[in-house]
Amino acid sequence: MKLKFGTVEENVVTREEFPLEKAKETLKDEVIAVLGYGVQGPGQALNLKDNGFNVIVGQRKNSKTWDKAVEDGWVPGETLFELDEAAQRGTILQYLLSDAGQIALWPTVKKHLTPGKALYFSHGFGVTYKDKTGIVPPSDVDVILVAPKGSGTSLRRMFVEGRGLNSSYAIYQDATGKAKDRVVALGIGVGSGYLFETDFYREVTSDLTGERGTLMGAIQGIFAAQYEVLRANGHTPSEAFNETVEELTQSLMPLVAENGMDWMYANCSTTAQRGALDWWKPFRDATKPVFEELYSSVKEGKEAVKSIDSNSKDDYRAKLEGELQELRESEMWQAGAVVRKLRPENN
Ligand SMILES: NC(=O)C1=CN([C@@H]2O[C@H](COP(=O)(O)OP(=O)(O)OC[C@H]3O[C@@H](n4cnc5c(N)ncnc54)[C@H](O)[C@@H]3O)[C@@H](O)[C@H]2O)C=CC1
Ligand SMILES: CC(=O)[C@](C)(O)C(=O)O
Ligand SMILES: [Mg+2]
Ligand SMILES: [Mg+2]
């Protein structure tokens, strides 16, 4: 259906409009093979299974994630296979390896993309940057996308709580005439809240911007900047951490989530409101050039190249873990670890 967001009309699909029963009916003859069991893999595979779809998982044997899949209830030889065999058995291949991993496995997956199958992504990456990934699907399969707008961990947790994470959906290639029904049914099946329409290019460019920007990169950047200024001016770690992070995540962001920014502001003192209303525009103006630079870097494909190059190296996991450790061991997040332990609900 069409829904207005502000003054802009968009194509969206809701669960009322396309109920789970209809999704199951649409996919009743399909075998959904979830390839990869990292973060999105478990979330989507388990939600689909619990929703009553026919799902198998493909994962490298002798890996930690194979063992995790077994722990999660997937049965080797019945619902859990090597990637090659799962790709052969599936009629819908959900390509949920890491974006760099998808390049390495492409020849194997391509071999099993026989006419009428569907190739499903949760990111526009592989196909948009085909010059760099080599991922060019055959013309006689559907190529579709459902991109949950959040971590696979949250997708699963929210599903279990009876909630739903919103996802975008897109069709890159409709070979069978069934691509729209297939993609929407899968979007409902993986436990999406509502689905909004996009295309592969817009999905990848917005997603790479968001995660580098406000969702992950920028937020850590402004946390660090404010924390450092407070500490340099003699405030304790406890004071600096509470005033920078803990109050935001525990008290104020839930209010923003519930009813918007003005609602959060309205629930703070008039002193706070006066200052926040004065200061949000200077912060916007100071950071906007960085966001412009970021978007250009995404648009020029530089972010894709960086990600492919670094994540294709043998030691990429260890390197990432090293950098996460640096964050974890920074004073701000060390203070955070202590503060979290002191939350009454953790005692
Ligand atoms: N992490 C998330 O929550 C989100 C991820 N996505 C997208 O979903 C897709 C999957 O991402 P993640 O779950 O983060 O992936 P991941 O980084 O957790 O990796 C998934 C699986 O790929 C396997 N893998 C990696 N390289 C491989 C190779 N060369 N050969 C065979 N297997 C290999 C890993 O063992 C792992 O089981 C990506 O397209 C990503 O952009 C989209 C939304 C959120
Ligand atoms: C969780 C998500 O949507 C991200 C941040 O875009 C990702 O993990 O790639
Ligand atoms: Mg994302
Ligand atoms: Mg992403």
Side-chain angles (χ1 to χ4, degrees), residues 38-39 60 64-65 98 310-311 313-324:
V39 182
R60 279 184 291 198
K64 257 195 261 169
T65 38
S98 72
S310 59
N311 294 331
K313 299 213 170 79
D314 287 338
D315 62 346
Y316 79 99
R317 279 272 166 218
K319 280 250 166 67
L320 288 174
E321 175 47 33
E323 289 177 68
L324 294 181

mmCIF file of all heavy atoms in Angstrom, residues 38-39 60 64-65 98 310-311 313-324:
data_model
loop_
_atom_site.group_PDB
_atom_site.id
_atom_site.type_symbol
_atom_site.label_atom_id
_atom_site.label_comp_id
_atom_site.label_asym_id
_atom_site.label_seq_id
_atom_site.Cartn_x
_atom_site.Cartn_y
_atom_site.Cartn_z
ATOM 1 N N GLY A 38 26.351 -16.383 10.507
ATOM 2 C CA GLY A 38 27.110 -15.425 11.310
ATOM 3 C C GLY A 38 26.197 -14.648 12.247
ATOM 4 O O GLY A 38 25.895 -15.087 13.353
ATOM 5 N N VAL A 39 25.731 -13.472 11.781
ATOM 6 C CA VAL A 39 24.826 -12.658 12.591
ATOM 7 C C VAL A 39 23.411 -12.659 11.986
ATOM 8 O O VAL A 39 22.429 -12.972 12.659
ATOM 9 C CB VAL A 39 25.344 -11.207 12.726
ATOM 10 C CG1 VAL A 39 24.414 -10.401 13.620
ATOM 11 C CG2 VAL A 39 26.752 -11.181 13.313
ATOM 12 N N ARG A 60 30.021 -23.798 6.685
ATOM 13 C CA ARG A 60 31.236 -24.607 6.630
ATOM 14 C C ARG A 60 31.309 -25.548 7.831
ATOM 15 O O ARG A 60 31.092 -25.124 8.955
ATOM 16 C CB ARG A 60 32.476 -23.712 6.660
ATOM 17 C CG ARG A 60 32.810 -23.130 5.317
ATOM 18 C CD ARG A 60 34.093 -22.333 5.407
ATOM 19 N NE ARG A 60 33.913 -21.120 6.205
ATOM 20 C CZ ARG A 60 34.744 -20.073 6.180
ATOM 21 N NH1 ARG A 60 35.805 -20.109 5.424
ATOM 22 N NH2 ARG A 60 34.515 -19.018 6.927
ATOM 23 N N LYS A 64 33.206 -22.782 14.162
ATOM 24 C CA LYS A 64 32.483 -22.471 15.394
ATOM 25 C C LYS A 64 31.003 -22.278 15.114
ATOM 26 O O LYS A 64 30.149 -22.634 15.919
ATOM 27 C CB LYS A 64 33.049 -21.168 15.996
ATOM 28 C CG LYS A 64 33.975 -21.427 17.179
ATOM 29 C CD LYS A 64 34.201 -20.127 17.940
ATOM 30 C CE LYS A 64 35.521 -19.487 17.548
ATOM 31 N NZ LYS A 64 35.756 -18.141 17.993
ATOM 32 N N THR A 65 30.718 -21.682 13.946
ATOM 33 C CA THR A 65 29.318 -21.396 13.646
ATOM 34 C C THR A 65 28.535 -22.653 13.255
ATOM 35 O O THR A 65 27.328 -22.703 13.426
ATOM 36 C CB THR A 65 29.181 -20.299 12.566
ATOM 37 O OG1 THR A 65 30.197 -20.476 11.606
ATOM 38 C CG2 THR A 65 29.310 -18.928 13.187
ATOM 39 N N SER A 98 29.309 -13.094 4.952
ATOM 40 C CA SER A 98 29.785 -11.714 5.011
ATOM 41 C C SER A 98 29.932 -11.220 3.562
ATOM 42 O O SER A 98 30.094 -12.022 2.643
ATOM 43 C CB SER A 98 31.130 -11.663 5.727
ATOM 44 O OG SER A 98 32.143 -12.206 4.900
ATOM 45 N N SER A 310 40.020 -5.249 3.160
ATOM 46 C CA SER A 310 40.416 -5.632 4.526
ATOM 47 C C SER A 310 39.751 -6.934 4.948
ATOM 48 O O SER A 310 40.375 -7.779 5.588
ATOM 49 C CB SER A 310 40.113 -4.511 5.509
ATOM 50 O OG SER A 310 38.738 -4.219 5.470
ATOM 51 N N ASN A 311 38.495 -7.152 4.561
ATOM 52 C CA ASN A 311 37.788 -8.346 5.041
ATOM 53 C C ASN A 311 38.043 -9.592 4.197
ATOM 54 O O ASN A 311 37.480 -10.649 4.477
ATOM 55 C CB ASN A 311 36.284 -8.070 5.138
ATOM 56 C CG ASN A 311 35.973 -7.029 6.193
ATOM 57 O OD1 ASN A 311 36.695 -6.896 7.177
ATOM 58 N ND2 ASN A 311 34.911 -6.269 6.000
ATOM 59 N N LYS A 313 41.238 -10.533 3.738
ATOM 60 C CA LYS A 313 42.524 -11.038 4.233
ATOM 61 C C LYS A 313 42.304 -12.182 5.224
ATOM 62 O O LYS A 313 41.290 -12.223 5.911
ATOM 63 C CB LYS A 313 43.287 -9.907 4.929
ATOM 64 C CG LYS A 313 43.598 -8.748 3.993
ATOM 65 C CD LYS A 313 44.927 -8.087 4.360
ATOM 66 C CE LYS A 313 45.368 -7.090 3.304
ATOM 67 N NZ LYS A 313 44.652 -5.791 3.427
ATOM 68 N N ASP A 314 43.273 -13.090 5.297
ATOM 69 C CA ASP A 314 43.139 -14.252 6.176
ATOM 70 C C ASP A 314 42.988 -13.873 7.644
ATOM 71 O O ASP A 314 42.302 -14.541 8.404
ATOM 72 C CB ASP A 314 44.358 -15.178 6.025
ATOM 73 C CG ASP A 314 44.315 -15.934 4.700
ATOM 74 O OD1 ASP A 314 43.187 -16.065 4.147
ATOM 75 O OD2 ASP A 314 45.381 -16.364 4.211
ATOM 76 N N ASP A 315 43.663 -12.762 8.029
ATOM 77 C CA ASP A 315 43.671 -12.404 9.447
ATOM 78 C C ASP A 315 42.642 -11.307 9.770
ATOM 79 O O ASP A 315 42.772 -10.605 10.761
ATOM 80 C CB ASP A 315 45.073 -11.937 9.851
ATOM 81 C CG ASP A 315 45.498 -10.690 9.089
ATOM 82 O OD1 ASP A 315 44.823 -10.348 8.069
ATOM 83 O OD2 ASP A 315 46.485 -10.052 9.490
ATOM 84 N N TYR A 316 41.593 -11.179 8.918
ATOM 85 C CA TYR A 316 40.675 -10.051 9.120
ATOM 86 C C TYR A 316 39.956 -10.110 10.466
ATOM 87 O O TYR A 316 39.755 -9.092 11.120
ATOM 88 C CB TYR A 316 39.661 -9.945 7.967
ATOM 89 C CG TYR A 316 38.501 -10.924 8.029
ATOM 90 C CD1 TYR A 316 37.256 -10.517 8.521
ATOM 91 C CD2 TYR A 316 38.637 -12.241 7.604
ATOM 92 C CE1 TYR A 316 36.193 -11.406 8.589
ATOM 93 C CE2 TYR A 316 37.589 -13.135 7.679
ATOM 94 C CZ TYR A 316 36.374 -12.712 8.171
ATOM 95 O OH TYR A 316 35.327 -13.595 8.256
ATOM 96 N N ARG A 317 39.623 -11.321 10.926
ATOM 97 C CA ARG A 317 38.908 -11.465 12.206
ATOM 98 C C ARG A 317 39.763 -10.963 13.369
ATOM 99 O O ARG A 317 39.306 -10.218 14.221
ATOM 100 C CB ARG A 317 38.531 -12.931 12.470
ATOM 101 C CG ARG A 317 37.282 -13.379 11.756
ATOM 102 C CD ARG A 317 35.995 -13.098 12.566
ATOM 103 N NE ARG A 317 34.822 -13.234 11.719
ATOM 104 C CZ ARG A 317 33.738 -12.467 11.770
ATOM 105 N NH1 ARG A 317 33.650 -11.501 12.654
ATOM 106 N NH2 ARG A 317 32.726 -12.668 10.961
ATOM 107 N N ALA A 318 41.026 -11.414 13.360
ATOM 108 C CA ALA A 318 41.945 -11.041 14.436
ATOM 109 C C ALA A 318 42.180 -9.526 14.434
ATOM 110 O O ALA A 318 42.228 -8.878 15.479
ATOM 111 C CB ALA A 318 43.264 -11.783 14.273
ATOM 112 N N LYS A 319 42.306 -8.957 13.234
ATOM 113 C CA LYS A 319 42.521 -7.500 13.109
ATOM 114 C C LYS A 319 41.326 -6.736 13.667
ATOM 115 O O LYS A 319 41.487 -5.771 14.420
ATOM 116 C CB LYS A 319 42.707 -7.125 11.627
ATOM 117 C CG LYS A 319 44.096 -7.385 11.093
ATOM 118 C CD LYS A 319 44.817 -6.044 10.838
ATOM 119 C CE LYS A 319 46.308 -6.236 10.635
ATOM 120 N NZ LYS A 319 46.602 -6.968 9.388
ATOM 121 N N LEU A 320 40.112 -7.163 13.283
ATOM 122 C CA LEU A 320 38.913 -6.482 13.782
ATOM 123 C C LEU A 320 38.831 -6.609 15.293
ATOM 124 O O LEU A 320 38.560 -5.640 16.005
ATOM 125 C CB LEU A 320 37.646 -7.072 13.143
ATOM 126 C CG LEU A 320 37.390 -6.753 11.668
ATOM 127 C CD1 LEU A 320 36.192 -7.534 11.148
ATOM 128 C CD2 LEU A 320 37.163 -5.256 11.455
ATOM 129 N N GLU A 321 39.096 -7.810 15.783
ATOM 130 C CA GLU A 321 39.030 -8.039 17.226
ATOM 131 C C GLU A 321 40.043 -7.150 17.961
ATOM 132 O O GLU A 321 39.736 -6.593 19.015
ATOM 133 C CB GLU A 321 39.242 -9.527 17.552
ATOM 134 C CG GLU A 321 39.323 -9.894 19.028
ATOM 135 C CD GLU A 321 38.231 -9.279 19.937
ATOM 136 O OE1 GLU A 321 37.090 -9.091 19.475
ATOM 137 O OE2 GLU A 321 38.555 -8.969 21.111
ATOM 138 N N GLY A 322 41.214 -6.972 17.379
ATOM 139 C CA GLY A 322 42.216 -6.098 17.976
ATOM 140 C C GLY A 322 41.706 -4.668 18.112
ATOM 141 O O GLY A 322 41.900 -4.008 19.134
ATOM 142 N N GLU A 323 41.029 -4.202 17.073
ATOM 143 C CA GLU A 323 40.514 -2.832 17.114
ATOM 144 C C GLU A 323 39.330 -2.699 18.059
ATOM 145 O O GLU A 323 39.141 -1.665 18.696
ATOM 146 C CB GLU A 323 40.144 -2.362 15.695
ATOM 147 C CG GLU A 323 41.366 -2.132 14.827
ATOM 148 C CD GLU A 323 41.001 -1.729 13.407
ATOM 149 O OE1 GLU A 323 40.479 -0.624 13.213
ATOM 150 O OE2 GLU A 323 41.209 -2.549 12.486
ATOM 151 N N LEU A 324 38.521 -3.760 18.167
ATOM 152 C CA LEU A 324 37.425 -3.734 19.141
ATOM 153 C C LEU A 324 37.984 -3.712 20.557
ATOM 154 O O LEU A 324 37.456 -3.041 21.443
ATOM 155 C CB LEU A 324 36.499 -4.948 18.961
ATOM 156 C CG LEU A 324 35.701 -5.038 17.663
ATOM 157 C CD1 LEU A 324 34.830 -6.295 17.663
ATOM 158 C CD2 LEU A 324 34.816 -3.806 17.460
#
